[in-house]
Amino acid sequence: MNQSKNTVCDVTVIHEDVVKKVKNELPHSQEVKKCASLFKILGDHTRFKIITTLLKEEMCVCDISYLLDMSQSLISHQLRVLRDARLVKHRREGKVVYYSLDDSHIEKIVKYGFDHIKESSE
Amino acid sequence: MNQSKNTVCDVTVIHEDVVKKVKNELPHSQEVKKCASLFKILGDHTRFKIITTLLKEEMCVCDISYLLDMSQSLISHQLRVLRDARLVKHRREGKVVYYSLDDSHIEKIVKYGFDHIKESSE
DNA sequence: GTTACATATGAACAATCATTCATATGAGGT
DNA sequence: ACCTCATATGAATGATTGTTCATATGTAAC
């Protein structure tokens, strides 16, 4: 957490003006944390695959499980993580629970993610 | 990896039509993997903070380390991860190494990330 | 009530990964 | 050659987390 004695930079600051400027323009600490957490949730293969299946259609747990060839338990666990993060919402219809994306930003974020992949892959 | 015997969904598929449709529209497996990996890299607090400092100015390792109050070693390690993922580029000027963002998509992805945070936080 | 099906969840394990410490490399100055 | 500063990196450790297994909950039908 705090600077260790080996740290060079607790003494020398090379560009004070730049540091000051950037420090003032930095997003608030709490927003940064939340945003990183959002990406962390998107950054798991299983969860991200689930999201790609929900991009166009709402689906029930069983269908997702079948489509991705993953156990129902695993899908349920990760859907809960996605729910807690408010990335997906669910509605119950009898025994079946349908999941869908809860936020339009997610689609855009995912889209730009794919753009980055396609551009930097040659 | 493969379906365990407890899995319900290796037998029952509830919405065959939906499953088929979604399956055809799914992005290619390799792209999905790469994209999830991208978000994983963004999803670490330290790395994400580094990126926020580079949003407007290029900075040297020492400045980043000072600004974020983190050890030089930690910053260097994570900058290497960001370099390997082609999210940042570097240029050397004498002893000092300057880092900056390597891709304009990153700014957009980060921007939409913050949008999501602001919208879903009331 | 019981049975069957769809989903959720708790606990345990395995594997990943961020951080620290110590040391190495690279570059300019003397 | 040396010394100093800025950065990089290897190894080890501690903590986080994805996955599995077993079991529980909720719902409809009988």
Side-chain angles (χ1 to χ4, degrees):
Chain A
M1 189 64 75
N2 47 2
Q3 298 283 54
S4 71
K5 34 186 155 44
N6 308 34
T7 312
V8 180
C9 293
D10 53 349
V11 179
T12 314
V13 184
I14 303 188
H15 310 91
E16 285 195 57
D17 49 339
V18 176
V19 170
K20 274 192 179 175
K21 178 170 178 282
V22 172
K23 196 163 195 171
N24 282 332
E25 292 173 343
L26 233 48
H28 189 32
S29 162
Q30 208 166 9
E31 287 181 0
V32 173
K33 273 189 184 175
K34 283 187 183 175
C35 200
S37 301
L38 167 65
F39 288 126
K40 185 172 214 163
I41 289 171
L42 293 176
D44 173 69
H45 287 180
T46 302
R47 286 191 293 267
F48 190 72
K49 283 181 186 171
I50 292 176
I51 287 182
T52 60
T53 66
L54 298 179
L55 277 177
K56 303 193 175 176
E57 295 274 351
E58 76 169 5
M59 295 186 84
C60 72
V61 178
C62 194
D63 286 343
I64 300 174
S65 173
Y66 174 81
L67 186 57
L68 297 181
D69 190 31
M70 291 168 167
S71 75
Q72 175 268 321
S73 175
L74 177 54
I75 300 295
S76 260
H77 273 295
Q78 300 299 7
L79 278 172
R80 162 147 285 280
V81 176
L82 293 171
R83 267 170 62 180
D84 290 346
R86 306 257 187 109
L87 299 190
V88 301
K89 58 190 174 192
H90 67 297
R91 76 184 171 83
R92 179 153 221 142
E93 202 170 285
K95 285 178 290 187
V96 183
V97 179
Y98 295 92
Y99 282 85
S100 57
L101 296 186
D102 193 17
D103 190 299
S104 60
H105 289 289
I106 301 303
E107 301 172 40
K108 289 178 188 169
I109 294 173
V110 170
K111 182 189 177 307
Y112 279 111
F114 279 118
D115 285 353
H116 173 82
I117 295 309
K118 285 167 188 163
E119 198 177 75
S120 63
S121 66
E122 79 271 358
Chain B
M1 188 65 76
N2 46 3
Q3 297 284 56
S4 70
K5 34 186 154 46
N6 308 35
T7 312
V8 179
C9 292
D10 54 349
V11 180
T12 314
V13 183
I14 302 188
H15 309 92
E16 286 196 58
D17 49 339
V18 176
V19 170
K20 274 191 179 176
K21 177 170 178 281
V22 172
K23 195 162 195 170
N24 282 332
E25 293 172 343
L26 233 48
H28 188 34
S29 162
Q30 209 166 10
E31 286 181 1
V32 173
K33 272 189 184 176
K34 283 187 184 176
C35 200
S37 301
L38 167 65
F39 288 126
K40 185 172 216 164
I41 289 172
L42 293 176
D44 173 70
H45 286 181
T46 302
R47 286 191 293 266
F48 191 72
K49 282 181 186 171
I50 292 176
I51 287 181
T52 60
T53 66
L54 298 178
L55 277 176
K56 303 195 176 175
E57 296 273 351
E58 75 168 5
M59 293 187 84
C60 72
V61 178
C62 194
D63 286 344
I64 300 173
S65 172
Y66 174 80
L67 187 57
L68 297 180
D69 191 31
M70 292 167 165
S71 75
Q72 175 268 321
S73 176
L74 176 55
I75 300 296
S76 260
H77 272 295
Q78 300 299 5
L79 278 172
R80 162 145 284 280
V81 177
L82 293 171
R83 268 170 61 181
D84 291 345
R86 305 257 187 109
L87 299 189
V88 302
K89 58 190 172 189
H90 66 297
R91 76 183 170 84
R92 179 153 222 142
E93 201 169 285
K95 286 179 291 188
V96 182
V97 179
Y98 294 92
Y99 282 85
S100 57
L101 297 185
D102 194 16
D103 190 300
S104 60
H105 289 289
I106 300 304
E107 301 172 41
K108 290 177 187 168
I109 293 173
V110 171
K111 182 189 176 308
Y112 279 111
F114 279 117
D115 285 352
H116 172 84
I117 295 309
K118 286 168 188 164
E119 198 177 73
S120 63
S121 65
E122 79 271 0

